[in-house]
Amino acid sequence: MIGRFAPSPSGRMHLGNVWSALLAWLSVRAAGGELLLRLEDLDPARCRPEYSEQLRRDLRWLGLDWDREQPPQSTRTDAYAAAFARLEAQGLVYPCYCSRADLHAASAPHAADGRWIYPGTCRDLPEDVRRRQTKAPAWRLRTPDRVVRFHDGLQGEVAENLARDCGDFIVRRADGVYAYQLAVVVDDAAGGVTEVVRGRDLLSSTARQRYLYELLGARPPAYCHVPLLLAPDGRRLSKRERDLDLGALSARWAPEELLGRLAALAGLIPPGETASARELIPVFSWSRIPKDNLILNQQFAE
Ligand code: GLU
């Protein structure tokens, strides 16, 4: 069994990242598996090397160790280009010249989760129209009108019709950066990852990723999408919540106090107890982990 942490070095880790990392770590350690660390620094505008170093330090401080580090995504362009070429050889990618404004004018947000579904504007552009374009295109993958199904270890059965619920999606941006959806599949496959534990916000990406596994001839991992931690007003915690980033949290608490609070939220130990990461391994079980998002009240207030 091989699991992974795949944080984006776009800022300091915050409580939500610690929560997902803890559960990914516990799942692997409880099963005696191997854990990979991969820094997802695809987006040069948002990621910085000093954040990567800080992430490694923060994980060490928490006692969440890893067995192997994969090369960061910013060094993997050739591997993504090779995967892109495989998709291109299957006739499945096409250039898209639409701006964000064009897209919003041509489609409506999807009723279920507010996602925008690409209306297919550039899908079958005649060659002469393509040739007249002057700006660099993004590249989209054609999605089939069929249902992708998979089982999620926490969320249960998931089914998504890619054409209807998602639409053709970007695999390479207009600035040449390969999209997260493609990079994550190429990297997890290269690392032999068999279990992906990550936040529930990524559940809606999983059908797209499963489809890419299929097209690239790789075996997909098992998934567990863990609940998100929400602010008392129901908003997602984000890197903007400075009082819940690891700088602020580590100034307030020892790792055992912080992990104890998270473990109580996960239903692994009673509230008020402290625990190191290692002490949580024997009490970890997926059957105890809640599936729905959790609203934080006073657990992480000073
Ligand atoms: N890098 C992504 C993030 O930090 C996680 C991607 C994944 O786990 O697939 O949100």
Side-chain angles (χ1 to χ4, degrees):
M1 190 251 213
I2 303 181
R4 45 65 149 191
F5 299 134
S8 300
S10 58
R12 192 88 192 245
M13 251 184 138
H14 66 85
L15 192 64
N17 307 128
V18 179
W19 164 254
S20 306
L22 173 65
L23 294 174
W25 186 88
L26 282 172
S27 182
V28 169
R29 293 292 178 240
E34 190 187 359
L35 195 77
L36 309 185
L37 171 65
R38 176 177 71 243
L39 293 160
E40 300 212 318
D41 57 351
L42 265 183
D43 191 340
R46 291 175 53 231
C47 297
R48 296 207 212 119
E50 56 270 31
Y51 290 144
S52 297
E53 212 19 73
Q54 185 67 60
L55 261 161
R56 294 188 192 95
R57 275 202 297 275
D58 284 343
L59 289 169
R60 284 191 204 104
W61 180 83
L62 288 160
L64 304 178
D65 59 346
W66 57 95
D67 303 300
R68 197 151 50 91
E69 183 166 347
Q70 286 186 288
Q73 291 188 323
S74 57
T75 66
R76 297 270 296 151
T77 309
D78 290 352
Y80 309 144
F84 180 85
R86 277 185 77 163
L87 302 174
E88 202 171 23
Q90 297 172 67
L92 290 171
V93 292
Y94 62 86
C96 170
Y97 302 92
C98 297
S99 66
R100 195 169 294 238
D102 295 335
L103 294 179
H104 285 197
S107 63
H110 189 258
D113 63 2
R115 259 195 284 175
W116 291 84
I117 298 179
Y118 181 64
T121 319
C122 295
R123 194 176 228 240
D124 297 306
L125 278 190
E127 200 41 51
D128 59 317
V129 179
R130 274 187 196 164
R131 250 183 281 119
R132 281 202 304 274
Q133 304 298 321
T134 48
K135 68 175 190 179
W139 290 79
R140 288 183 184 269
L141 182 73
R142 289 174 194 270
T143 49
D145 185 12
R146 73 172 155 87
V147 177
V148 173
R149 288 176 204 284
F150 61 94
H151 176 81
D152 184 273
L154 263 185
Q155 308 300 330
E157 301 312 310
V158 181
E160 187 176 306
N161 179 308
L162 282 176
R164 256 192 297 120
D165 303 332
C166 170
D168 297 349
F169 59 91
I170 292 179
V171 287
R172 196 183 131 154
R173 301 188 335 198
D175 62 5
V177 174
Y178 288 94
Y180 155 72
Q181 306 293 354
L182 182 67
V184 76
V185 168
V186 170
D187 287 340
D188 281 337
V193 168
T194 63
E195 181 185 85
V196 167
V197 175
R198 60 187 179 189
R200 230 176 75 164
D201 53 325
L202 289 168
L203 187 61
S204 61
S205 289
T206 308
R208 275 172 273 178
Q209 294 171 15
R210 302 276 302 199
Y211 181 52
L212 283 167
Y213 274 99
E214 193 183 310
L215 297 176
L216 297 172
R219 183 200 282 265
Y223 293 91
C224 270
H225 286 88
V226 303
L228 303 178
L229 304 184
L230 306 178
D233 61 4
R235 265 177 322 108
R236 263 195 76 181
L237 298 183
S238 78
K239 288 184 177 162
R240 283 185 292 275
E241 249 95 23
R242 274 296 156 76
D243 54 330
L244 293 179
D245 80 19
L246 211 48
L249 293 170
S250 65
R252 233 182 286 156
W253 291 314
E256 294 75 16
E257 292 172 296
L258 177 57
L259 294 175
R261 283 175 158 82
L262 286 172
L265 210 55
L268 298 176
I269 60 172
E273 288 190 8
T274 61
S276 68
R278 297 233 152 250
E279 286 164 344
L280 293 170
I281 299 172
V283 295
F284 175 79
S285 159
W286 278 115
S287 65
R288 306 175 80 163
I289 308 301
K291 119 186 211 299
D292 294 321
N293 292 344
L294 294 160
I295 296 196
L296 298 180
N297 295 311
Q298 291 306 308
Q299 298 97 324
F300 296 90
E302 273 176 86

